[in-house]
Amino acid sequence: LGLSHSLSRYKLKFSPDKVDTMIVQAIGLLDELDKELNTYAMRVREWYGWHFPEMTKIVADNIEYAKAVKLMGIRSGAADLDFSEILEEEVEADLKDAAVVSMGTDVTDTDMEYIKSLADQVINLSEYRGQLSDYLKSRMNAIAPNLTVLVGELVGARLISHAGSLISLAKQPASTVQILGAEKALFRALKTKHETPKYGLIYHASLIGQAAPKHKGKISRVLAAKCALSIRVDALGESSDATVGVEHRSKVETRLRQLEGKAVATAGAKAKGLPDKAAHDSSRSQNAALSLEAKAYNADADVAMEDKKEKKKKKKDKEAENGEDEEMEEKKEKKKKKKDKEAEEEEEPKKKKKDKKRKVEEEEEEEPKKKKKKKKSDE
């Protein structure tokens, strides 16, 4: 493995088409340009907004705004100008109407020159960004065609830039490619014992964007596996075509349709070296194209086993029934105790009366005896 890597490195050194340093620099510059462009455009809006504040809401796009500022200058001349090359008809009409009744402050010609020069810089930066984007696209198609087909030139370039080089990225397993760019979230999750992230930079790929939120994790895993294979073909293979990438992309799309509940043609999803499933399953048609209807569940083809969820549900129902029986028994016992207590309370005054009567009778019987004894003692 080490020998093959060193041989590949040796080949790459002599191939100017395979130099991935240009991609790393280009994507870095592209990201910086986006930030600078956004900052400059916001500054133009804020600066010119003092003179014509209504224009900020009328023209939403930053580049169109800068071009309109450069063409118009002071707002009083807006009515005589033609904005058809920059703006749509409705937007142009609104802009001209707003320029007549604007509440903005007046500015000098010197101030307007500086505002125009800033707007000019925004336009130039935007044009250069477009050229750089085209250059990056052509370099990615030359250096990593299979990866570009799978995830697009921007995501592919960011993956290469994050890994350091195409060879470094080729050495990474699919699981690392999947979460590349989410290292901070991964280590935080491991430290706090929470769920680890399912995707990193690969999340911005169009295939993951197409998937439903609940399927994004599964699709990102499938896409990362195919990306890892494509990157190795790009880095160590000699062919410059994207046949592997196209094949892998079709497989990922097939998997995506399967997850969405659509029946897929058996030819597209057939695994290499395995027997045809349609031969053993009567529900699969031999000449089936992509079916849009969801396949009905065939209960006869499956083993009748209780699902875990059903078992849990039954267990809960049983426990609930047992709990209800226990509650009923407790209520009965409480009622019985209450009745006994009431009966005791009713019997208590009767007992007291009987005891009192008995005491009185006993005292009456003892009185003559006491008198007799007293008489005898006196004698």
Side-chain angles (χ1 to χ4, degrees):
L1 186 68
L3 181 64
S4 65
H5 278 180
S6 60
L7 267 169
S8 300
R9 273 195 221 101
Y10 181 78
K11 282 179 185 176
L12 286 172
K13 278 179 187 174
F14 293 96
S15 174
D17 295 330
K18 289 280 184 182
V19 179
D20 51 12
T21 314
M22 303 303 163
I23 286 173
V24 175
Q25 297 299 331
I27 192 68
L29 180 58
L30 198 68
D31 289 339
E32 283 174 20
L33 267 176
D34 284 335
K35 287 176 188 174
E36 289 296 322
L37 197 59
N38 194 39
T39 309
Y40 279 21
M42 288 298 111
R43 182 63 62 192
V44 169
R45 279 178 178 273
E46 194 177 334
W47 201 353
Y48 194 74
W50 286 100
H51 177 59
F52 191 1
E54 292 83 5
M55 186 175 165
T56 308
K57 287 183 179 178
I58 295 165
V59 183
D61 187 67
N62 290 332
I63 309 306
E64 285 178 3
Y65 188 95
K67 285 178 179 176
V69 168
K70 190 183 174 184
L71 179 64
M72 179 166 52
I74 293 168
R75 67 170 185 267
S76 56
D80 305 324
L81 295 169
D82 181 29
F83 294 93
S84 58
E85 290 182 7
I86 304 165
L87 307 170
E88 293 175 5
E89 285 181 21
E90 291 175 7
V91 178
E92 186 183 350
D94 292 342
L95 185 68
K96 286 178 179 178
D97 293 341
V100 177
V101 293
S102 178
M103 299 288 287
T105 57
D106 292 329
V107 291
T108 62
D109 292 335
T110 315
D111 294 333
M112 189 51 66
E113 277 179 25
Y114 281 98
I115 294 170
K116 278 185 177 181
S117 66
L118 181 59
D120 205 21
Q121 285 212 20
V122 170
I123 295 161
N124 291 337
L125 274 173
S126 172
E127 286 171 1
Y128 177 63
R129 193 208 171 280
Q131 291 167 10
L132 187 67
S133 182
D134 292 338
Y135 164 74
L136 181 66
K137 193 172 184 179
S138 65
R139 294 308 296 157
M140 279 298 292
N141 283 323
I143 292 167
N146 294 297
L147 182 63
T148 307
V149 167
L150 270 173
V151 294
E153 62 275 356
L154 285 174
V155 177
R158 285 200 176 93
L159 286 169
I160 292 168
S161 175
H162 199 84
S165 67
L166 188 64
I167 290 289
S168 300
L169 188 62
K171 290 176 185 175
Q172 306 292 348
S175 56
T176 306
V177 173
Q178 186 182 342
I179 58 162
L180 212 63
E183 289 85 359
K184 200 181 273 186
L186 173 68
F187 292 121
R188 196 194 305 122
L190 292 171
K191 195 175 180 181
T192 55
K193 292 181 181 177
H194 284 91
E195 285 185 4
T196 52
K198 291 176 183 174
Y199 26 66
L201 292 166
I202 208 169
Y203 178 78
H204 300 288
S206 60
L207 284 166
I208 294 174
Q210 291 169 27
K214 61 180 179 181
H215 297 142
K216 281 188 193 293
K218 287 179 181 177
I219 289 297
S220 66
R221 190 166 64 247
V222 174
L223 184 61
K226 298 301 177 190
C227 279
L229 293 172
S230 299
I231 292 159
R232 285 161 198 168
V233 171
D234 290 331
L236 308 168
E238 291 180 4
S239 62
S240 58
D241 57 347
T243 48
V244 175
V246 171
E247 188 186 331
H248 286 168
R249 188 180 175 91
S250 67
K251 284 181 180 177
V252 176
E253 285 172 352
T254 303
R255 177 68 180 139
L256 179 60
R257 288 197 294 272
Q258 279 178 347
L259 287 171
E260 285 172 357
K262 295 174 182 176
V264 182
T266 53
K270 187 181 173 184
K272 290 178 183 177
L274 292 176
D276 191 6
K277 289 179 183 177
H280 307 288
D281 191 354
S282 58
S283 62
R284 290 174 186 258
S285 58
Q286 294 293 333
N287 302 319
L290 180 65
S291 173
L292 296 176
E293 291 180 10
K295 186 181 171 183
Y297 177 70
N298 185 7
D300 301 326
D302 201 0
V303 180
M305 285 179 73
E306 279 188 332
D307 193 23
K308 283 185 179 179
K309 285 183 181 177
E310 285 179 10
K311 280 184 179 178
K312 280 184 180 178
K313 200 177 179 184
K314 281 184 180 179
K315 200 175 182 183
K316 278 184 181 177
D317 293 342
K318 228 177 189 179
E319 284 173 2
E321 283 175 11
N322 293 337
E324 284 174 8
D325 292 342
E326 285 173 8
E327 280 178 17
M328 289 288 284
E329 284 175 10
E330 281 177 11
K331 280 181 182 178
K332 281 180 181 178
E333 282 178 13
K334 279 181 182 178
K335 278 183 181 179
K336 200 177 182 182
K337 281 179 182 178
K338 203 175 182 182
K339 280 182 181 178
D340 292 342
K341 206 174 185 182
E342 285 173 1
E344 281 175 11
E345 284 173 1
E346 284 176 7
E347 284 175 7
E348 250 181 65
K350 287 179 182 178
K351 275 184 181 179
K352 280 181 181 178
K353 278 181 182 180
K354 279 183 181 179
D355 291 340
K356 211 172 184 182
K357 203 175 180 183
R358 199 183 295 140
K359 275 183 181 179
V360 171
E361 285 174 359
E362 283 175 1
E363 281 174 5
E364 283 174 359
E365 283 176 5
E366 283 177 3
E367 243 179 76
K369 287 179 182 178
K370 279 180 181 178
K371 280 178 183 180
K372 279 181 181 180
K373 278 182 182 178
K374 204 174 182 184
K375 273 182 182 181
K376 279 181 182 179
S377 62
D378 290 340
E379 286 175 358

